[in-house]
């Protein structure tokens, strides 16, 4: 059987249990050798709330430190210029043994948006997608799969996970309002957020 590697891209601003739950479920259900967390560089279409990309990276490091099959990669942080997922997968493929298959992990909202991604057909041609359930519009996901026709049916796989109605946006709001985020964000990450006073300022 081919080696299967999970790829989990995100802004992780900050990383939370919604991310960790779907990464672990994907690892198990798809027999992935490991899951590679790839924090994005600062992207113009997402407001990064003045959190340095290396801080987002470090929070992922802290969150996955105790899981031997979770690994982090700085591949997107170090790249100059816009980074497209298709380029990231290509780079990973160049470095991996030829029989490696890549599985990109994403929540339903990301898969619903896939038709708007640049080079999306090239991306689906080069890797599989694991679409993890997240509260939201299911019909939009179905439309996205239909949009890609046979390629979508072959390459987009569904994964049922416990649905957690949380997002980094919601958590940033809680932190700013001095509300507890205990159990929603791993403890070492909460300590780091506190120490650095992240998400407190005006944004
Ligand atoms: P933000 O609120 O800042 O937009 P986010 O919580 O959606 O952030 P990202 O880092 O943008 O987090 O997400 C990375 C990936 O994780 C995306 O594919 C997203 O769909 C998925 N994801 C995030 N939160 C959840 C969740 N609660 N359940 C399932 N998937 C999730």
């Amino acid at each position: 059987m081919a080696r299967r590697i999970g790829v989990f891209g995100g802004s992780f601003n900050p990383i939370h249990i919604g991310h960790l739950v779907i990464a672990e479920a994907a690892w198990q259900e798809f027999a992935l050798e490991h899951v590679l967390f790839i924090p994005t560089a600062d992207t113009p279409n997402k407001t990064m709330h003045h959190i340095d990309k290396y801080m987002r990276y470090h929070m992922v490091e802290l969150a996955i430190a105790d899981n031997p099959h979770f690994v982090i990669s700085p591949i997107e942080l170090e790249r100059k210029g816009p980074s497209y997922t298709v380029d990231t997968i290509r780079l990973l493929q160049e470095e991996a043994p030829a029989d490696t298959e890549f599985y990109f992990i994403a929540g339903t909202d990301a898969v619903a948006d896939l038709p708007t991604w640049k080079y999306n057909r090239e991306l689906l041609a080069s890797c599989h997608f694991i679409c993890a359930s997240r509260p939201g519009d299911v019909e939009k996901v179905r439309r996205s799969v239909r949009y890609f026709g046979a390629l979508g049916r072959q390459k987009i796989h569904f994964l049922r996970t416990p649905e957690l109605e949380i997002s980094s946006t919601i958590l940033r709001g809680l932190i700013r309002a001095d509300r507890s985020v205990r159990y929603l964000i791993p403890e070492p990450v909460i300590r780091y957020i506190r120490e650095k006073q992240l998400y407190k300022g005006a944004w």
Side-chain angles (χ1 to χ4, degrees):
M1 198 174 95
R3 280 174 86 219
R4 295 175 165 192
I5 307 290
V7 176
F8 193 17
S11 46
F12 303 121
N13 189 25
I15 187 163
H16 54 71
I17 57 162
H19 298 126
L20 296 165
V21 164
I22 72 171
E24 181 72 3
W27 169 76
Q28 181 139 69
E29 292 305 313
F30 288 82
L32 305 176
E33 201 176 279
H34 58 262
V35 175
L36 201 53
F37 284 67
I38 306 188
T40 55
D42 298 339
T43 45
N45 59 341
K46 258 206 168 187
T47 131
M48 290 301 171
H49 311 288
H50 313 295
I51 301 299
D52 184 273
K53 60 185 178 182
Y54 297 106
M55 287 181 158
R56 290 187 287 108
Y57 184 92
H58 186 56
M59 288 190 275
V60 176
E61 275 183 320
L62 291 171
I64 68 174
D66 63 354
N67 188 329
H69 50 260
F70 284 177
V71 182
I72 187 167
S73 164
I75 189 168
E76 292 207 357
L77 292 200
E78 288 166 355
R79 184 151 356 117
K80 301 265 179 298
S83 57
Y84 296 110
T85 308
V86 71
D87 299 324
T88 303
I89 298 288
R90 201 170 294 139
L91 275 174
L92 293 172
Q93 279 167 339
E94 279 167 15
E95 287 165 9
D99 67 339
T100 310
E101 287 180 344
F102 288 93
Y103 283 73
F104 191 86
I105 302 164
T108 40
D109 58 312
V111 175
D113 283 345
L114 197 54
T116 68
W117 289 23
K118 244 187 161 158
Y119 311 116
N120 48 21
R121 285 186 188 278
E122 291 83 346
L123 177 61
L124 272 184
S126 64
C127 70
H128 293 265
F129 254 73
I130 298 175
C131 175
S133 47
R134 184 177 188 179
D137 189 351
V138 180
E139 185 45 39
K140 215 175 153 205
V141 182
R142 292 208 188 98
R143 271 204 301 277
S144 170
V145 177
R146 280 200 297 274
Y147 173 89
F148 293 105
L151 188 61
R153 288 193 301 277
Q154 278 161 20
K155 293 299 201 60
I156 303 175
H157 314 279
F158 288 88
L159 171 64
R160 285 211 67 85
T161 50
E163 295 194 11
L164 291 162
E165 199 156 4
I166 56 170
S167 64
S168 299
T169 306
I170 291 174
L171 295 169
R172 289 192 301 269
L174 290 176
I175 296 166
R176 200 158 113 86
D178 263 327
R179 315 252 322 174
S180 170
V181 290
R182 194 169 180 190
Y183 307 123
L184 298 176
I185 297 177
E187 205 49 46
V189 179
I190 295 180
R191 278 201 296 275
Y192 182 78
I193 290 172
R194 257 197 222 121
E195 189 189 306
K196 301 285 179 198
Q197 292 281 301
L198 304 184
Y199 309 116
K200 284 289 191 190
W203 43 261

